Amino acid sequence: MKKTVGIVGANGYTGSELIRLLAFHPHVTLSFLYSRSNSGKRISDLYPDLTTVCEMVLTHQPEEVDVLFLCLPHKESQNWLAQNPVSDETLVVDLGNDFRLDENFESRNFVYGLPEINKKQLEGSKSIANPGCFATAIQLALLPLAEKGFLDEVFTTGITGSTGAGQSLQATTHFTWRNDNVSAYKTLTHQHVDEVLQQLVSSNQKQVNLNFVPWRGDFARGIFTSSTLKTDLEQKEIEQLYQDFYAEAPFVTVSSRAIDLKQVVNTNRCVIQIEKNENVAVIHSAIDNLLKGASGQAVQNMNIAMGWEENKGLDLKPVAF
Amino acid sequence: MKKTVGIVGANGYTGSELIRLLAFHPHVTLSFLYSRSNSGKRISDLYPDLTTVCEMVLTHQPEEVDVLFLCLPHKESQNWLAQNPVSDETLVVDLGNDFRLDENFESRNFVYGLPEINKKQLEGSKSIANPGCFATAIQLALLPLAEKGFLDEVFTTGITGSTGAGQSLQATTHFTWRNDNVSAYKTLTHQHVDEVLQQLVSSNQKQVNLNFVPWRGDFARGIFTSSTLKTDLEQKEIEQLYQDFYAEAPFVTVSSRAIDLKQVVNTNRCVIQIEKNENVAVIHSAIDNLLKGASGQAVQNMNIAMGWEENKGLDLKPVAF
Amino acid sequence: MKKTVGIVGANGYTGSELIRLLAFHPHVTLSFLYSRSNSGKRISDLYPDLTTVCEMVLTHQPEEVDVLFLCLPHKESQNWLAQNPVSDETLVVDLGNDFRLDENFESRNFVYGLPEINKKQLEGSKSIANPGCFATAIQLALLPLAEKGFLDEVFTTGITGSTGAGQSLQATTHFTWRNDNVSAYKTLTHQHVDEVLQQLVSSNQKQVNLNFVPWRGDFARGIFTSSTLKTDLEQKEIEQLYQDFYAEAPFVTVSSRAIDLKQVVNTNRCVIQIEKNENVAVIHSAIDNLLKGASGQAVQNMNIAMGWEENKGLDLKPVAF
Amino acid sequence: MKKTVGIVGANGYTGSELIRLLAFHPHVTLSFLYSRSNSGKRISDLYPDLTTVCEMVLTHQPEEVDVLFLCLPHKESQNWLAQNPVSDETLVVDLGNDFRLDENFESRNFVYGLPEINKKQLEGSKSIANPGCFATAIQLALLPLAEKGFLDEVFTTGITGSTGAGQSLQATTHFTWRNDNVSAYKTLTHQHVDEVLQQLVSSNQKQVNLNFVPWRGDFARGIFTSSTLKTDLEQKEIEQLYQDFYAEAPFVTVSSRAIDLKQVVNTNRCVIQIEKNENVAVIHSAIDNLLKGASGQAVQNMNIAMGWEENKGLDLKPVAF
């Protein structure tokens, strides 16, 4: 029997992306799509690509479900949960940043939902804080080194597609401005730095400095990052370290070929490449910010928490071109 | 038990796209990937997005299979079949244009693989000529009118993504040239015109004039067409005609909303919209040229020919953004 | 001595584009930049590319000037002129559509500012209605045929960059939506159709039918159109007709090569190409919608009206790539 | 009287861009365009945007000229000069990298053509080595700190448009691959690193480490870089340092606003922005790689060497959108 699912904030990018995934997931059925602002509208009127895929009407009345995804603006998940009590039996996956650093809320203790490090804790969990998009790309690029204590200071540049900024109309999401353009934002102060450091440090109890410069790119989907650091390890040693670390991770590939962003667009995968020159190493990583960086990882976390195969509903055809 | 599949010309865009689809198709298993020029190479070295999805090595030695897809340059399918005899029991789906107008080859009689008009003939067929990409988009836009004899002359403009030009490096596929650019090519003389007319005429035995201006667009995937024609039918009548015509077609949607190209990218769907002003109607249609316009339709045809559900392996997550 | 210039609506795309042109024009000096909503702001804060090029502060107090450009939303020019009386000695160039069809306003009689047909009337004129962007591209493609009475009915598709939609934030100008996308809008009902027909008909007093389908493209600058029509003229005859018609037009090129949009981006030029098959001709044209389609043509009109060289300030480096 | 100019390698991107600039330069006239491979062809057949701008025919017979620009593949300038003796009176500007590090060739002593540091030496010079594109963007971002000895180690990421890869057809310049894509190349080993270090070190005789990760972007024109470094200087102090350093530089702007790539596309300008958090500073810079990064800077160098105004022929309308 299929499990029931509700999506709160279903009218945003990550909410609609969850619908695109869950509509074809064999173990679940969508029970309700919650939206305060668009209640009463058909989701396929907001996202016509969902025509025939999902013709549900948005509601502002949640029901009891087996799995609840919260796709709200950052800091609004707490309010929603406070106003809409959820059964302890319901698996709650929060895609916002409310519970990534502050893990406790009422009787719930949120597990940080990066399966590549927390798979055991996620199994059977009822409360999952889904990581941020940049945070996912950077952590996957650095965790194998951090865990061994090989990481002291790192200089990371990352570039993100426009979907990372959400569907609101802003000067920096206007096509005329963004097309063919590149720019930096939140230099050294991006909100994901703390989230990354928490995991890097907890993996080895060693202080790490992360200097992160985020850029806006002129594409819609995807994140590409390059992290530069000093190390005496040989390239082969680093690659082996990463191969070992991700041996059981079905969605992470350590590549000996050059990687590029479109290798992962429209998939739940992360590709990583390591390069070395003298005593400097550079770790590149790429993900689809809406999938491995948000909704895909949320489904992966649900699969693990529910005891299903980790890749269920996530065998996605890459867009490739 | 799964059916075996071979792909000839697996290293091209349509061949690799078939791999992306068939790797997750529940009823088939890939037996061989044929390529003369890249024999011995791993397909994931040519298309790194296929890493973990398909790690097969290209070969130039075909095997006997249940289903054979030919993804060769136009006019090379005949040569290949002449040199590599194929069992009469094997379903051959040709994605080139060799058998679209000349349907007979040795003992085989090719069925034109547009399921929306030829579903009955495709069931159990062993030889299928898969339609061209522009031909698919234009036919789906015009067939309901043509079949009723309502079509005399039509003026069509269509725009295609760069994947339509294949993977060869040309001046018009150079990024520097194509980015932010639009241009016309093969004005009034595109090779798909005859293919479209053959079907339009055979549906009602009435002469039709198709004036087709193809454009190159600055995107990688997709085709958008607008066809203008004179008619005394009311918009509602035309819409009803189309709704009836496509009532059993799972991949065609007649939309009352404005359509746009990205509603169908990375899906096997076609969306159609009808607009009318005075005695002039405009029919818009959009498809993904590599899916409904090539490899997706080939899988759809295989499904029908083999007696499987028409949408098996084709429940694809739209890329949407 | 330089002539003084004022720009009303200087904070929009066409207004700022005028600044980019006039800042380097040898015969004029900018006196004021008028904006109600952004009064008090520096124009280079709104358009940082203007840093060092123009550091003027926007005002809502117009001054008396030799040349006044109105870059207001359509239908607001009349109101502005009614509220801000302008000397009869001032040349007024309106970039809106207020005076394209209704040519009379108080004591002013507006000349339609398409120099390729109205150069004589523009010389010494004090009131110029600058043509619309699509209207310019389509007229230049069709006028030589219309003037000779060779035009009866024409089917035109045109695609425009996002700057054509102005700087307001809309669903269809959001980068996430528009990137890699194509869509139709105002099918058969675009407001420029009447403007085009007025000129086509007045050139020969013969009725013409224009069926126009406008598309939105995924680039920022430029318009490309293809017009299909029936004719018994030979291609050579048509080309000669066009060469003769534009013999004195410095910004229009009739090309025997394939044309593409980027041949004219960031220039004031229009390129035209003619193709023929049997009794059907297709006329392609391309312009930069902000230059020959708006601000560049406005400067061209000013040059003619003031008795300066037509190309003064318009020898622009093409962006080309 | 105008000075005569020859361009060797006129059929490439930087060569054709020089034509776009020099065609409107008031002090020069083009004498010959040299190309071995395309000799006999009209340059406007290769670059149709040059129609009416320049209709010269490419030749393989150079003439004596006042100014000679070499736009050859790297390492071919030496060969060309050896085979085609040039008068000592001729100003030679080499856009390749032949003389950037090895400054002496026969009787010529090449001056490194970064006007912001070498203006005095460029005045009257007859031999100029024009800097590389990334080298220009990075040096302008770092020189003010290096000159004062404030620079020890820096971590730079830069992204470049496809024109940086030249007009040859390659897998990484294919539109289908590059559109919506990002990738790294020549990680830590880009050929411009030595060029940058030579200037940084010579400005203060202090060792500097530059860790540079270049990325390929999905746009045609422009370079954007972010350089991260440790410093105890206050942000205000750094900004003042830069303002002072560039006080006499007409093409460099130190911005207190957020910068983005399109602020400089189709101009000869460089914009720089400084951000600081705790003891870490980030310096962003942006240029058009074909202008300030190549042909525009070459014209700037010519202007200085010939004693003309530095910005002559370089008052370019920004493309802006």
Side-chain angles (χ1 to χ4, degrees), chain B residues 71-272:
Chain B
C71 301
L72 294 168
H74 295 310
K75 300 303 168 205
E76 291 192 16
S77 297
Q78 286 189 45
N79 295 339
W80 196 90
L81 286 176
Q83 290 163 20
N84 299 274
V86 173
S87 157
D88 283 354
E89 294 307 300
T90 296
L91 167 60
V92 174
V93 182
D94 179 37
L95 282 79
N97 65 2
D98 294 35
F99 310 114
R100 293 178 194 157
L101 300 180
D102 303 314
E103 300 152 11
N104 294 306
F105 180 78
E106 297 178 358
S107 63
R108 292 182 173 271
N109 182 17
F110 280 82
V111 177
Y112 187 71
L114 193 65
E116 288 73 15
I117 53 171
N118 282 344
K119 195 165 178 178
K120 278 276 163 294
Q121 299 91 309
L122 289 164
E123 289 169 2
S125 167
K126 290 295 179 194
S127 305
I128 299 176
N130 212 55
C133 51
F134 265 132
T136 298
I138 298 173
Q139 285 176 83
L140 294 177
L142 299 179
L143 276 165
L145 284 170
E147 189 212 30
K148 298 288 188 190
F150 292 142
L151 197 64
D152 296 295
E153 174 149 44
V154 58
F155 297 83
T156 301
T157 303
I159 190 165
T160 182
S162 60
T163 50
Q167 66 181 345
S168 69
L169 295 165
Q170 310 165 45
T172 53
T173 55
H174 195 297
F175 182 84
T176 299
W177 185 86
R178 189 148 187 158
N179 185 45
D180 294 329
N181 211 352
V182 176
S183 54
Y185 71 108
K186 299 184 184 174
T187 301
L188 302 172
T189 61
H190 194 282
Q191 67 273 14
H192 287 179
V193 169
D194 287 343
E195 185 183 335
V196 172
L197 289 179
Q198 173 174 279
Q199 304 305 317
L200 293 183
V201 170
S202 76
S203 75
N204 189 279
Q205 301 309 321
K206 180 175 160 184
Q207 177 65 29
V208 175
N209 282 332
L210 168 60
N211 304 282
F212 175 41
V213 181
W215 286 355
R216 296 182 194 94
D218 60 330
F219 45 88
R221 273 182 186 264
I223 281 177
F224 189 96
T225 77
S226 292
S227 295
T228 304
L229 52 97
K230 302 286 179 67
T231 179
D232 293 329
L233 295 172
E234 298 294 321
Q235 176 159 344
K236 291 276 179 211
E237 293 175 287
I238 307 175
E239 285 175 346
Q240 191 58 52
L241 198 69
Y242 277 63
Q243 295 287 5
D244 294 347
F245 192 91
Y246 292 119
E248 307 295 319
F251 292 110
V252 180
T253 303
V254 183
S255 176
S256 54
R257 282 187 296 259
I259 67 169
D260 62 79
L261 183 54
K262 288 208 291 192
Q263 293 179 14
V264 296
V265 172
N266 211 42
T267 80
N268 195 50
R269 289 172 55 215
C270 174
V271 289
I272 293 172

Side-chain angles (χ1 to χ4, degrees), chain D residues 82-122:
Chain D
Q83 290 163 21
N84 299 274
V86 173
S87 157
D88 283 354
E89 293 307 300
T90 296
L91 167 59
V92 174
V93 182
D94 180 36
L95 283 79
N97 65 4
D98 294 35
F99 310 114
R100 293 178 195 155
L101 300 180
D102 303 314
E103 299 152 9
N104 294 306
F105 179 77
E106 298 178 356
S107 64
R108 292 182 174 272
N109 182 18
F110 280 81
V111 176
Y112 186 72
L114 193 66
E116 287 74 16
I117 52 171
N118 282 344
K119 197 166 177 179
K120 277 277 165 292
Q121 297 91 312
L122 289 164

Side-chain angles (χ1 to χ4, degrees), chain C residues 262-263 267 315-321, chain D residues 7 10-25 30 43 46-50 53-54 221 266 290-291 295 299 313 316:
Chain C
K262 288 208 291 192
Q263 293 179 13
T267 80
D315 282 338
L316 303 170
K317 193 193 86 62
V319 73
F321 310 118
Chain D
I7 301 175
N11 58 318
Y13 285 166
T14 57
S16 73
E17 194 73 353
L18 266 176
I19 299 171
R20 285 179 197 98
L21 293 171
L22 298 178
F24 300 128
H25 193 292
L30 288 169
I43 187 70
L46 301 179
Y47 294 100
D49 67 283
L50 290 175
V53 174
C54 178
R221 272 182 187 263
N266 211 42
L290 288 179
L291 291 168
S295 306
V299 172
L316 304 170

Side-chain angles (χ1 to χ4, degrees), chain B residues 153 155 157-159 175-184 187-189 209 211 213 215 218-221 224-226 228-230 258-263 265 275-277 280-282 284 320-321, chain C residues 153 155 157-159 175-184 187-189 209 211 213 215 218-221 224-226 228-230 258-263 265 275-277 280-282 284 320-321:
Chain B
E153 174 149 44
F155 297 83
T157 303
I159 190 165
F175 182 84
T176 299
W177 185 86
R178 189 148 187 158
N179 185 45
D180 294 329
N181 211 352
V182 176
S183 54
T187 301
L188 302 172
T189 61
N209 282 332
N211 304 282
V213 181
W215 286 355
D218 60 330
F219 45 88
R221 273 182 186 264
F224 189 96
T225 77
S226 292
T228 304
L229 52 97
K230 302 286 179 67
I259 67 169
D260 62 79
L261 183 54
K262 288 208 291 192
Q263 293 179 14
V265 172
E275 300 195 84
K276 184 104 196 288
N277 188 49
V280 182
V282 176
H284 310 291
F321 310 119
Chain C
E153 174 149 44
F155 297 83
T157 304
I159 190 165
F175 182 85
T176 299
W177 185 86
R178 190 150 187 157
N179 185 44
D180 294 329
N181 211 353
V182 177
S183 54
T187 300
L188 302 172
T189 60
N209 281 333
N211 303 283
V213 181
W215 287 357
D218 60 330
F219 45 89
R221 273 183 186 261
F224 189 95
T225 77
S226 293
T228 304
L229 52 97
K230 301 287 179 65
I259 66 169
D260 62 79
L261 182 55
K262 288 208 291 192
Q263 293 179 13
V265 171
E275 300 196 85
K276 183 106 197 288
N277 189 50
V280 182
V282 176
H284 310 291
F321 310 118

